Amino acid sequence: MVYWIAPLVVLGLVVFVHELGHFLAAKAFGVYAPRFSLGWGKPLVRWRRPGAETEYVISMLPIGGYVRMASRNDETASMLEGGNESVKEGAERDPRWDPEAMVPHGPKPVPADRWFESKPTYARVVILLAGVTMNAVLTIFVATGIFAVYGRQDAPTVIDTLVAGKPAERGGVQRGDSVISVDGVPVRTWTQLVAKVGADTGREVRLEIARGSERLTIAVQPEVVDVTDPSSGKVSRVGKIGAGSLGPDHVGNRTVRSSMSAGESIAAGWHATWQMGGSVIGVLGGLFRGTVSVKALGGPIAIARTSVAAARTGLESLFTLIAFLSINLAVLNLLPVPILDGGQVLITVAEGVKGSSFSDRTRENFMRVGLVAIGALFLIVMFNDIRGLVVSLFG
């Protein structure tokens, strides 16, 4: 059961939140939105409350979703999404046909002021960026929740490396020692140890050490060094003793968790979101520079396998994957590809600067370029997915 539920939960939530952003923004600006769909292609399940404007749909291909809006490009867009419901002769016999509803649910025309193109440029840009914004908010929310529930994961205060000639080695600290306290103040995590030693500049500190069954007190004089914050460029003076913690490959089950306040969790969630977004941008940059191979890209199968693995590991891993995929979707949708949100924003802004809309032929050419780009990417990731699946099954 986990093979089906985990991928659907992960992909479904990330896509739903993205499309919900577009939908809510469209509604806020008065744009008519006749359909909200999870998935592309032929509808499998559809529901519309009598008298309501929007039909809610689950479609055949669970690799995305869309919000259909009233637009002069409605025919092209709906065909791409698999939801072309142009009113045809005999449509009144459809049980879903509503004689009081607007197209495509009924015969009434959509008022001109409810078309997407009728809204000012800033409103259209907000609608187009609302999905990306919601994905970023989801990532911050989930990351914050992870820190609030599970706390901060940190290395224990076990000395793993010593720099020759530095204060720790000179004072008699040995590899494998566990630091219990600094100047009588208990420390449980490596972060706490670094913060306490770093704050003690210009004076000697007393480390309480656990060495096997022994308890020792070692006096160490930290060296004062200048450290530059990479994000702010601020230079601060901190104390260093020349000792390193257990690396991630050696910590294993000795990882220490510390609880975090609401404020600390929010700050950590915000920081983690920026870090994940930065890593996605780094991969994209590496692809363009040729330093990252396209073989590293994964598609729906890879996401499904990762979702299952994360679900089996625990809820923390599953929610971490949701946060990472959500910020992935946000960053990728900002790419200047015509069929993506970023490309649509560029076209909308260009039309605003131009003072008029591009011709249908020009827009169609833009869409073709976007379709070719997305199609090529889809083929690459599916090839990688199938190759990875074959290797995992047959070695």
Side-chain angles (χ1 to χ4, degrees), residues 5 9 26 54 69 82 86 92 98 118 152 178 188 208 231 252 291 302 306 346 354 366 375 395:
I5 295 178
V9 168
T54 305
M69 303 179 205
S86 298
E92 65 274 13
D98 184 350
S118 71
R152 189 189 302 278
S178 294
R188 293 183 58 251
E208 185 180 354
S231 58
T291 56
T306 305
L346 283 180
K354 179 172 175 280
F366 284 150

Side-chain angles (χ1 to χ4, degrees), residues 168-189:
E169 187 199 45
R170 294 200 309 265
V173 177
Q174 295 181 10
R175 188 169 181 265
D177 286 350
S178 294
V179 181
I180 300 173
S181 68
V182 179
D183 289 336
V185 179
V187 288
R188 293 183 58 251
T189 69

Side-chain angles (χ1 to χ4, degrees), residues 139-161:
T139 303
I140 294 171
F141 179 80
V142 172
T144 298
I146 291 172
F147 285 114
V149 173
Y150 297 99
R152 189 189 302 278
Q153 187 172 333
D154 206 344
T157 57
V158 178
I159 305 298
D160 186 57
T161 57

Side-chain angles (χ1 to χ4, degrees), residues 45-268:
V45 179
R46 55 173 68 184
W47 175 79
R48 175 177 169 269
R49 182 169 52 84
E53 290 186 350
T54 305
E55 178 186 49
Y56 300 92
V57 173
I58 297 177
S59 298
M60 182 177 292
L61 300 175
I63 56 174
Y66 64 90
V67 174
R68 184 177 175 188
M69 303 179 205
S71 167
R72 66 184 176 89
N73 302 301
D74 189 63
E75 288 292 317
T76 302
S78 62
M79 287 178 66
L80 290 172
E81 294 155 350
N84 190 14
E85 306 97 345
S86 298
V87 180
K88 299 176 182 178
E89 186 179 353
E92 65 274 13
R93 292 191 294 269
D94 190 317
R96 291 182 297 273
W97 181 256
D98 184 350
E100 299 300 320
M102 290 184 287
V103 174
H105 307 307
K108 294 185 177 181
V110 179
D113 65 342
R114 300 203 62 187
W115 283 37
F116 178 76
E117 289 80 12
S118 71
K119 305 304 175 182
T121 300
Y122 82 89
R124 285 180 282 160
V125 170
V126 170
I127 293 171
L128 290 170
L129 291 179
V132 168
T133 303
M134 285 289 281
N135 277 127
V137 170
L138 174 64
T139 303
I140 294 171
F141 179 80
V142 172
T144 298
I146 291 172
F147 285 114
V149 173
Y150 297 99
R152 189 189 302 278
Q153 187 172 333
D154 206 344
T157 57
V158 178
I159 305 298
D160 186 57
T161 57
L162 291 165
V163 180
K166 293 298 181 180
E169 187 199 45
R170 294 200 309 265
V173 177
Q174 295 181 10
R175 188 169 181 265
D177 286 350
S178 294
V179 181
I180 300 173
S181 68
V182 179
D183 289 336
V185 179
V187 288
R188 293 183 58 251
T189 69
W190 191 262
T191 299
Q192 293 173 343
L193 174 60
V194 170
K196 189 69 180 73
V197 171
D200 291 325
T201 57
R203 70 180 188 84
E204 187 178 80
V205 298
R206 301 180 68 81
L207 306 178
E208 185 180 354
I209 299 289
R211 183 179 295 166
S213 59
E214 294 184 85
R215 293 294 182 270
L216 308 171
T217 299
I218 297 176
V220 177
Q221 176 72 47
E223 293 181 351
V224 181
V225 298
D226 292 334
V227 176
T228 303
D229 187 327
S231 58
S232 65
K234 182 181 178 181
V235 178
S236 56
R237 296 176 65 79
V238 299
K240 298 283 187 181
I241 61 173
S245 67
L246 288 168
D249 296 334
H250 300 93
V251 173
N253 294 328
R254 302 184 68 182
T255 297
V256 178
R257 290 186 181 273
S258 54
S259 60
M260 303 175 68
S261 66
E264 290 173 331
S265 299
I266 293 171

